[in-house]
Amino acid sequence: MASLIACPHCGPRPKEEFTIRGDAGIVRPAPDAGEDAWHAYVYLRDNPRGRHKEHWHHTSGCRRWLVVERDTMSHAIHAVSDASTEGATA
C-alpha cells in the first residue's frame, strides 16, 4: 500500500506527489548575521529520531507548502497543516 499524506486542500494523496524541503523549525538568520550563523543555517542539520516537523511541497497537486509531522523511524504521518496557517514561510 502506498504511503498517503492528507493534504488539507486535496485530501489523501500518495507521497510521490510531494517534495520534501526539510526541517520546519529552522529560522533564517538576519542578513547581517555573522559567517558562523550562516554556515550553521546552510550546512548544519540535526538528524532527529521520532516525531519531527518538515516542510513538504505538494508539487503534483495544489502546489502549496505544508508542515508535515512524521516519525522519522516509522515514517508514520501524525499531522499535516498548511504552512501559511502555522506562521511558517517555505
Side-chain angles (χ1 to χ4, degrees), residues 13-60:
R13 306 300 304 160
K15 69 175 173 53
E16 291 78 17
E17 289 189 4
F18 297 83
T19 304
I20 302 172
R21 176 179 177 226
D23 189 348
I26 295 177
V27 177
R28 184 181 176 102
D32 59 349
E35 187 176 312
D36 289 342
W38 280 102
H39 175 79
Y41 173 73
V42 174
Y43 297 109
L44 304 180
R45 297 287 184 262
D46 291 331
N47 189 12
R49 290 178 63 154
R51 286 189 178 199
H52 182 66
K53 288 186 177 182
E54 302 167 318
H55 280 126
W56 288 52
H57 185 245
H58 196 175
T59 312
S60 298

Side-chain angles (χ1 to χ4, degrees), residues 4-15 17-25 52-70 77 79-90:
L4 298 177
I5 296 175
C7 176
H9 306 285
C10 304
R13 306 300 304 160
K15 69 175 173 53
E17 289 189 4
F18 297 83
T19 304
I20 302 172
R21 176 179 177 226
D23 189 348
H52 182 66
K53 288 186 177 182
E54 302 167 318
H55 280 126
W56 288 52
H57 185 245
H58 196 175
T59 312
S60 298
C62 60
R63 304 191 56 80
R64 300 288 303 257
W65 282 100
L66 308 174
V67 175
V68 176
E69 183 180 352
R70 82 178 172 95
I77 304 294
V80 181
S81 60
D82 191 293
S84 65
T85 62
E86 292 220 358
T89 55

